[in-house]
């Protein structure tokens, strides 16, 4: 990975921008409060589509440079047409991407250089829970294993493992969160 | 939404396939045990890419009809290049898609017809947690609000709200799960 010292980049992260954000939020904690958003529309059967266009943060509405469109479906064995990764696979993506970015960014501000970084994830779900066949079987993931392979100075590995714990998705999954669902007529 | 009575479809869901899966798992609970998987690779800065190609379930390896590629990045305000929705937005997509599919499929087996269904999600994160500015501020989502608008018989709305609770991602987020992270040299 290129590290452009001239523009103060480590692991590709522009430290000028990141440090500016950190300083601003230190000075005014209200700037750190974010509302992230998504809209989802059912297409047919197990196929549905989410659009992500912007979020509230730094006391303002922020628009993404494009509208992101994310498709979910189920494979035929789960009564779908396989036109997208399924929701629990998308959850693994959310986790992997968040832990990766958290490691890379927090390493950057600490001057820890990473050359390559990849991960494999595996999570366990017993479908008897989702299908309502046994009320004692959990409906969600009971365990997720993540293995990172990192090309960096070997002394950095234990530090990176610690930095993973800054990840918002990791923390949401391990601590749980409140989810309120409303169902209204259209 | 089309409902092809001839092939025993409700809400587009093929009930023959779904009921077959349910019967098989009832007869042999081992068939319900799934391991879902993803691989992620860091691209540069806050940009990384996940691939999803298959999973273990029904006592066999299952390959998706294509490899799904999912990109994550951060907007410029968060030191990224905005080449994908960010990880916490992907998490909202995982939740929306899972609750939607859970509602649609469980409604189908109960003979509840849905014409249209869409949702809006908003989740709260205070970046002071992720940035390590205040150890008392949670790093993950503290609250996620989901509002569904459904075109269906009005009597179905409260039933659908109850069916949302079958969602594996909803249950993973509200109950939390164990996540083990290993960091190894490459």
């Amino acid at each position: 990975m290129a590290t452009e010292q001239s523009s103060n980049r480590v692991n590709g992260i522009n430290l000028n921008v990141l440090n500016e954000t950190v300083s601003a939020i230190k000075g005014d904690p209200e700037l750190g409060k974010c509302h992230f958003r998504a809209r989802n529309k059912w297409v047919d059967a197990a196929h549905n589509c989410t659009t992500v266009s912007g979020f509230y943060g730094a006391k303002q509405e922020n628009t993404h440079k494009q509208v992101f469109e994310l498709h979910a479906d189920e494979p035929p064995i789960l009564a779908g047409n396989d036109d997208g990764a399924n929701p629990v696979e998308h959850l693994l993506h959310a986790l992997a991407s968040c832990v990766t970015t958290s490691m890379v960014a927090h390493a950057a501000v600490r001057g820890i250089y990473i050359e390559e970084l990849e991960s494999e994830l595996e999570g366990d779900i017993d479908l008897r829970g989702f299908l309502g066949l046994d009320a004692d079987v959990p409906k969600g993931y009971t365990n997720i294993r993540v293995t990172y392979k990192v090309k960096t100075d070997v002394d950095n590995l234990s530090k990176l493992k610690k930095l993973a714990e800054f990840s918002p998705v990791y923390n949401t999954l391990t601590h749980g969160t409140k989810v309120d669902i409303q169902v209204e007529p259209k």
Side-chain angles (χ1 to χ4, degrees), chain A:
Chain A
M1 291 290 128
T3 51
E4 299 164 32
Q5 294 294 347
S6 60
S7 61
N8 201 20
R9 283 178 192 264
V10 176
N11 303 332
I13 299 283
N14 187 326
L15 290 179
N16 295 339
V17 171
L18 194 54
N19 289 332
E20 215 169 89
T21 300
V22 171
S23 295
I25 296 175
K26 261 188 196 168
D28 181 358
E30 278 297 312
L31 289 167
K33 294 189 179 164
C34 293
H35 304 303
F36 293 100
R37 300 181 185 130
R39 299 173 73 97
N40 181 278
K41 196 167 173 147
W42 175 46
V43 179
D44 192 22
H47 184 192
N48 60 73
C49 178
T50 295
T51 48
V52 175
S53 55
F55 65 98
Y56 176 87
K59 291 185 179 176
Q60 62 188 9
E61 292 297 328
N62 301 276
T63 306
H64 284 296
K65 74 179 184 190
Q66 65 181 94
V67 176
F68 300 112
E69 212 172 82
L70 307 162
H71 288 265
D73 198 354
E74 295 288 348
I77 197 177
L78 296 172
N81 195 37
D82 220 7
D83 284 326
N86 82 1
V88 297
E89 291 167 333
H90 281 287
L91 184 70
L92 296 183
H93 164 56
L95 176 61
S97 59
C98 195
V99 173
T100 292
T101 298
S102 299
M103 278 183 176
V104 167
H106 274 278
V109 296
R110 285 159 181 79
I112 298 171
Y113 286 83
I114 298 169
E115 282 185 74
E116 292 175 23
L117 183 147
E118 55 191 51
S119 56
E120 285 190 27
L121 293 88
E122 187 174 72
D124 308 330
I125 292 181
D126 187 332
L127 287 180
R128 288 179 300 160
F130 167 68
L131 295 170
L133 297 179
D134 186 336
D136 293 332
V137 173
K139 294 173 177 65
Y141 276 116
T142 47
N143 195 21
I144 300 174
R145 294 167 294 283
V146 189
T147 306
Y148 274 88
K149 303 271 191 197
V150 191
K151 196 166 169 186
T152 184
D153 188 297
V154 73
D155 293 343
N156 295 332
L157 298 176
S158 59
K159 295 174 193 166
L160 290 176
K161 184 176 158 129
K162 202 73 198 150
L163 296 180
E165 293 171 14
F166 280 105
S167 157
V169 173
Y170 170 82
N171 280 274
T172 304
L173 294 182
T174 53
H175 295 139
T177 186
K178 199 165 172 288
V179 180
D180 294 308
I181 298 177
Q182 298 302 322
V183 181
E184 300 173 359
K186 184 174 190 278

